Amino acid sequence: QVQVVESGGGLVQPGGSLRLSCAASGSIWRLNAMGWYRQVPGAQRELVASLVSGGSPHYVDSVKGRFTISRDNAKNTVYLQMNSLKPEDTAVYLCYADVVPDPFIREYVYWGQGTQVTVSS
């Protein structure tokens, strides 16, 4: 099986920073991409940042210039550095890993458990 484990959420004041970590482990033959969605109750899930293997980072417009996604390839781990946080960044952040588990199984997306980010004074 594939496991995706997140950490780093918490409560922070506006203008503050947090760094989220997400590690994928288990039966991974190919790791195509990793990133984060965020979800607020009553709103549609939003792709915040993603990093495709061999490609460039992508960000939703609202976080450009404030968030940075990076990768440790050896550990199948991605990080989301979130600076200049705003109250509207408050959400459950859900890490995903786009994985081919083995050469005979098609691509699947696996999800982390979610981590709450709250930006409030």
Side-chain angles (χ1 to χ4, degrees):
Q1 71 277 15
V2 175
Q3 294 177 312
V4 180
V5 179
E6 306 178 51
S7 63
L11 174 64
V12 65
Q13 293 184 347
S17 297
L18 287 171
R19 191 176 81 150
L20 307 184
S21 299
C22 181
S25 63
S27 300
I28 300 173
W29 187 63
R30 285 174 51 197
L31 180 61
N32 294 325
M34 295 183 70
W36 275 270
Y37 285 78
R38 64 186 179 189
Q39 192 163 48
V40 178
Q44 188 173 349
R45 185 184 65 182
E46 177 183 51
L47 180 61
V48 178
S50 62
L51 191 59
V52 177
S53 296
S56 300
H58 292 268
Y59 304 95
V60 67
D61 286 345
S62 61
V63 310
K64 288 181 178 178
R66 300 189 296 119
F67 290 12
T68 302
I69 187 169
S70 60
R71 173 178 55 207
D72 184 337
N73 292 327
K75 297 181 178 180
N76 289 331
T77 299
V78 292
Y79 306 93
L80 187 65
Q81 179 66 46
M82 304 185 294
N83 297 326
S84 301
L85 283 161
K86 303 175 180 180
E88 52 263 43
D89 296 317
T90 296
V92 174
Y93 283 71
L94 296 160
C95 181
Y96 76 92
D98 185 342
V99 170
V100 179
D102 66 57
F104 306 102
I105 298 176
R106 67 178 176 89
E107 176 183 329
Y108 290 97
V109 175
Y110 296 87
W111 294 92
Q113 77 278 12
T115 186
Q116 176 71 46
V117 171
T118 302
V119 184
S120 177
S121 59

